[in-house]
């Protein structure tokens, strides 16, 4: 496989992983906030590493989407 094929497969995988983790992180209401936070932060770090390696915008935008989801997962003082 050449570099373009690997980058395409990695981009597609990260897009699907980001969508699944955002959905699960925002929908797991009864679970611990630590689990939900880990579901959001782990693909965020992977997208940051992929952006640093490939310097392409899809990884950056996926990271922005995950950053926008963080306030909805952050624990409140009453929780």
């Amino acid at each position: 496989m050449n570099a373009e094929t690997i980058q395409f497969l990695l981009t597609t995988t990260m897009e699907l992983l980001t969508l699944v983790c955002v959905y699960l992180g925002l929908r797991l209401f009864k679970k611990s906030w630590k689990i939900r936070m880990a579901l959001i932060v782990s693909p965020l770090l992977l997208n940051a590493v992929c952006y640093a390696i490939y310097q392409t915008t899809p990884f950056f935008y996926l990271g922005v989407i995950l950053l926008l989801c963080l306030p909805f997962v952050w624990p409140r003082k009453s929780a």
Side-chain angles (χ1 to χ4, degrees):
M1 288 198 298
N2 56 10
E4 291 86 19
T5 306
I6 293 172
Q7 184 177 353
F8 173 75
L9 290 174
L10 186 60
T11 304
T12 305
T13 303
M14 287 307 297
E15 287 173 352
L16 292 174
L17 180 69
T18 299
L19 290 175
V20 167
C21 287
V22 164
Y23 179 77
L24 290 177
L26 295 176
R27 287 291 178 177
L28 292 175
F29 290 110
K30 304 288 185 191
K31 300 294 179 185
S32 171
W33 67 270
K34 293 177 185 177
I35 295 171
R36 295 185 300 143
M37 189 69 74
L39 279 172
I40 299 293
V41 172
S42 55
L44 177 64
L45 294 175
L46 284 172
N47 280 319
V49 168
C50 290
Y51 178 70
I53 293 171
Y54 292 108
Q55 294 290 316
T56 57
T57 56
F59 298 117
F60 175 76
Y61 290 131
L62 290 171
V64 169
I65 290 169
L66 289 164
L67 279 175
L68 289 174
C69 293
L70 275 178
F72 298 105
V73 178
W74 199 264
R76 298 181 309 235
K77 288 185 179 181
S78 63

